[in-house]
Amino acid sequence: MSDAPARPAEAGRSVPSRPGAVVAMLALAGITVSLMQTLVIPIVPELPGYLHASASDAAWAVTATLLAAAVATPVAGRLGDMFGKRRLLLVSLVLLVAGSVVCALSDALVPMIVGRTLQGLAAAVVPLGISIMRDELPPEKLAGSTALMSASLGVGGALGLPAAAFIADHFDWHVLFWTSASLGVVAFAFVLTLVPESGVRTGGRFDLVGALGMAVGLVSLLLAVSKGADWGWDSGTTLGLFALAVVVLAAWGVFELRTSAPLVDLRTTARRQVLFTNLASVAFGFSMFAMSLVLPQLLQLPTQTGYGLGRSMLAVGLVMAPQGLVMMAMAPMSAVITKARGPKTTLMLGALIVAAGYGLNIVMMSEVWQLVLVSCVIGAGVGFAYGAMPALIMGAVPPSETAAANSLNTLMRSIGTSVASAAAGVILAQMTISLGGHTLPSENGFKAVMAIGAGAAILAFALASFLPRPRPATPAPVPAPTEPSAETVGCGGRRRQRP
């Protein structure tokens, strides 16, 4: 790939005439992309029939998106820093629309997997949007805007579930993807017309070898984590993928440290503030996704279990939807706390709220309103935390590396969610009851998952405690009084203005 010219931060900075519109359009793009996480959940049980495939093969429609997003997010972030963040954001939206159209026209497994892979390649929209905000918005608007953009990851997923369930219940399943394509076109048009391109660029040459090495390592790791339960955790395939991931990622790390223009600047990543923010992001990703696994199953299990509530998928979506609204509402409050006490305090507060929400869930899981309350409490904590993470990252990296650093942080959250899915699956598969000849997760199994979710949130709190304290603002030096020069003193010692 050809070299990209570098542009200095100040030379490329422009203040948009309508910053509120820029924030709104970038948040819309983030919500649109995050919808793909929940888009297929209502139709997962029917996918084998729709695609004329086995259940294990149809599951690749979900796995392909996860793998593509993991690879594309850091790559798109680096390309955005090099060639323009808005340009890469628009490319990501084009990939989302293309993938949605392919899925909407699909009735077989292979084109569905291709379409879902293209959708996954659009996952870098949120970190790219946060980076555009850093370059373009005035400082007083940055904290609240990046908090809202970061929260859009959860907002889109929470609001998309009831909408997807309603569409799946009342229309042909292809309408789900036509809807996604339409939203992508709208987001593309708004970003194209209202969001300015930043001139803050790093320049340099793209690290193709590093990108390929990272792709092989991440795909091996996440494939082993996501499919290990199906293949067997002690199977040769699973263990081989784990071993390959370790070897490749270790070699990749050595290469990145030695190359002059790495895909990921590991020295920057090793800075205390970046390192512990990313580690806390893994724990938060785990904690947040644990709730997404537990609450829908509790709501849908039959009442004969004694703890299931026997509700439909649409009801599940309606119960989860307030969580997204709470996350959105917490964004400005997160910004206020960050301005007053620093993002470290905001992150730690979010972790404690999430842990408290899981504690409530362990003792309050017998009524629908209780699950709504729990999801809102956890959503509030996640809103605080997700608002603080971009501020911590951007406070530790130069503007020219913002997109790559935010993209890596988003990847860390995704790794946490993947590990949470695998861990919860193992626990719920081991702690079961038998009902009518069917094996179902037990109440104690759900409580164990919730306890682990609370533990992950407490771990995030502990990791956040190692973050450096915010530096106090240094007052500007007061210039010392100077004696008037001979040129400015007139007759009688009176000061005369110099022309």
Side-chain angles (χ1 to χ4, degrees):
M1 182 172 289
S2 60
D3 290 332
R7 297 187 187 180
E10 293 303 319
R13 185 177 179 85
S14 62
V15 178
S17 58
R18 292 179 289 177
V22 171
V23 173
M25 294 309 102
L26 290 174
L28 172 64
I31 290 172
T32 300
V33 170
S34 66
L35 288 174
M36 69 183 179
Q37 299 175 356
T38 54
L39 191 67
V40 298
I41 289 179
I43 61 171
V44 164
E46 287 78 28
L47 270 180
Y50 292 154
L51 302 176
H52 313 291
S54 65
S56 60
D57 288 341
W60 283 98
V62 178
T63 307
T65 307
L66 167 69
L67 300 179
V71 173
T73 301
V75 170
R78 174 61 179 156
L79 289 173
D81 282 334
M82 292 176 63
F83 296 101
K85 303 173 184 72
R86 173 177 171 268
R87 181 179 298 174
L88 264 292
L89 193 150
L90 290 171
V91 170
S92 298
L93 290 173
V94 168
L95 292 172
L96 173 68
V97 173
S100 300
V101 171
V102 170
C103 291
L105 297 173
S106 298
D107 285 305
L109 179 64
V110 172
M112 174 62 76
I113 292 175
V114 171
R116 290 288 290 166
T117 300
L118 290 172
Q119 286 186 320
L121 294 176
V125 162
V126 170
L128 287 169
I130 291 172
S131 304
I132 291 172
M133 289 177 178
R134 183 186 189 179
D135 294 344
E136 302 301 322
L137 296 182
E140 65 272 12
K141 292 185 177 292
L142 184 59
S145 301
T146 56
L148 178 63
M149 188 69 190
S150 185
S152 69
L153 276 172
V155 172
L159 299 182
L161 186 57
F166 178 81
I167 292 172
D169 285 346
H170 295 84
F171 302 95
D172 180 80
W173 65 276
H174 294 92
V175 176
L176 288 169
F177 297 101
W178 288 121
T179 303
S180 174
S182 301
L183 290 172
V185 170
V186 171
F188 178 92
F190 279 134
V191 171
L192 182 65
T193 55
L194 295 175
V195 177
E197 176 62 276
S198 167
V200 182
R201 313 254 180 103
T202 61
R205 182 177 294 274
F206 180 69
D207 180 14
L208 181 60
V209 174
L212 292 175
M214 186 198 64
V216 173
L218 284 178
V219 168
S220 301
L221 174 63
L222 294 176
L223 196 55
V225 169
S226 60
K227 303 295 285 186
D230 296 332
W231 296 336
W233 293 107
D234 58 349
S235 69
T237 302
T238 303
L239 295 177
L241 285 171
F242 275 127
L244 179 62
V246 170
V247 171
V248 171
L249 290 176
W252 172 80
V254 173
F255 177 82
E256 292 295 282
L257 288 171
R258 293 180 177 178
T259 188
S260 59
L263 177 72
V264 177
D265 189 341
L266 295 181
R267 291 180 177 86
T268 299
T269 305
R271 293 175 185 170
R272 180 176 166 188
Q273 185 158 319
V274 179
L275 175 63
F276 280 98
T277 300
N278 284 334
L279 292 175
S281 297
V282 176
F284 255 107
F286 185 106
S287 187
M288 180 182 176
F289 201 68
M291 178 200 61
S292 301
L293 292 169
V294 168
L295 264 61
Q297 294 192 61
L298 283 174
L299 285 162
Q300 289 184 282
L301 283 174
T303 55
Q304 290 85 347
T305 59
Y307 50 89
L309 299 177
R311 305 290 175 160
S312 66
M313 177 56 74
L314 179 58
V316 171
L318 293 174
V319 168
M320 301 289 285
Q323 177 201 22
L325 300 176
V326 169
M327 289 179 65
M328 186 179 296
M330 289 301 106
M333 193 175 299
S334 170
V336 170
I337 297 174
T338 294
K339 288 179 180 178
R341 303 297 298 273
K344 173 181 177 177
T345 299
T346 310
L347 180 58
M348 294 176 73
L349 178 61
L352 291 178
I353 294 174
V354 170
Y358 278 110
L360 282 176
N361 203 180
I362 293 174
V363 297
M364 297 176 62
M365 53 186 291
S366 59
E367 300 288 343
V368 171
W369 70 267
Q370 293 176 350
L371 298 186
V372 173
L373 174 63
V374 165
S375 68
C376 288
V377 171
I378 295 175
V382 172
F384 278 120
Y386 277 17
M389 289 172 188
L392 287 164
I393 294 295
M394 291 188 295
V397 301
S400 59
E401 298 178 17
T402 303
N406 278 319
S407 296
L408 182 63
N409 182 253
T410 301
L411 174 62
M412 293 299 104
R413 301 186 214 175
S414 299
I415 290 175
T417 60
S418 300
V419 175
S421 177
V426 170
I427 293 170
L428 296 179
Q430 296 296 321
M431 303 177 70
T432 61
I433 63 170
S434 181
L435 180 67
H438 298 282
T439 301
L440 302 174
S442 68
E443 183 178 13
N444 287 334
F446 288 120
K447 290 183 177 181
V449 173
M450 290 183 281
I452 293 175
I458 293 172
L459 175 61
F461 175 88
L463 290 168
S465 69
F466 288 97
L467 290 167
R469 293 181 180 274
R471 297 176 181 175
T474 304
V478 178
T482 57
E483 293 294 328
S485 65
E487 293 180 300
T488 60
V489 178
C491 299
R494 291 181 300 172
R495 187 178 300 275
R496 183 178 63 198
Q497 187 172 3
R498 188 177 184 180

